[in-house]
Amino acid sequence: MAFDDPIADETWVAYWIAFGPHGPRALPPPGEGWKVFNYTMIGVGVSFIIFMLERTQARGAPRTMTKEYQEMTNEYLKNQKTEAITGVSAEDYKGKGMVQSAPEKHPKLQ
């Protein structure tokens, strides 16, 4: 490429404008990865704090989530013959039925 040839210079400038390291092809500035990581961790931390604050203000488990209540629900379903073919009322049923919780903890017994 000759320096006195204006066509070659214009070609090089046109190439630089079209495909140079700027715009969407620019390299990220140094330290950008750490900045993204830090802001992501800050977002996760703030989300966790908000979750824990909401969780501390939540009510306890509903009274229907005790094992005793769920066993009574099983008995009620058997008496009503609910789902007599495949459910709790079936003759050969061996599942847990509605029971999915541990027994209730009594505060006086602890």
Side-chain angles (χ1 to χ4, degrees):
M1 168 157 75
F3 289 105
D4 58 345
D5 186 9
I7 306 267
D9 287 339
E10 290 171 3
T11 305
W12 185 82
V13 169
Y15 178 84
W16 175 261
I17 290 172
F19 301 106
H22 51 272
R25 289 174 293 280
L27 295 175
E32 183 177 16
W34 282 108
K35 185 184 277 188
V36 169
F37 177 76
N38 288 335
Y39 281 124
T40 302
M41 290 299 111
I42 288 171
V44 169
V46 168
S47 299
F48 180 74
I49 289 170
I50 291 172
F51 171 77
M52 292 308 292
L53 288 173
E54 289 292 324
R55 188 70 188 125
T56 59
Q57 302 299 318
R59 289 184 272 167
R63 63 183 179 85
T64 59
M65 289 302 292
T66 62
K67 185 173 184 177
E68 293 80 11
Y69 190 94
Q70 293 165 0
E71 287 172 348
M72 290 189 307
T73 303
N74 277 348
E75 292 303 318
Y76 176 78
L77 292 173
K78 287 178 188 176
N79 291 337
Q80 296 294 316
K81 298 192 182 345
T82 305
E83 290 190 58
I85 297 174
T86 60
V88 178
S89 300
E91 293 178 9
D92 58 346
Y93 184 75
K94 293 181 176 49
K96 297 188 298 184
M98 297 294 163
V99 178
Q100 59 181 350
S101 301
E104 182 179 13
K105 296 177 184 174
H106 297 286
K108 293 181 181 177
L109 299 177
Q110 292 180 0

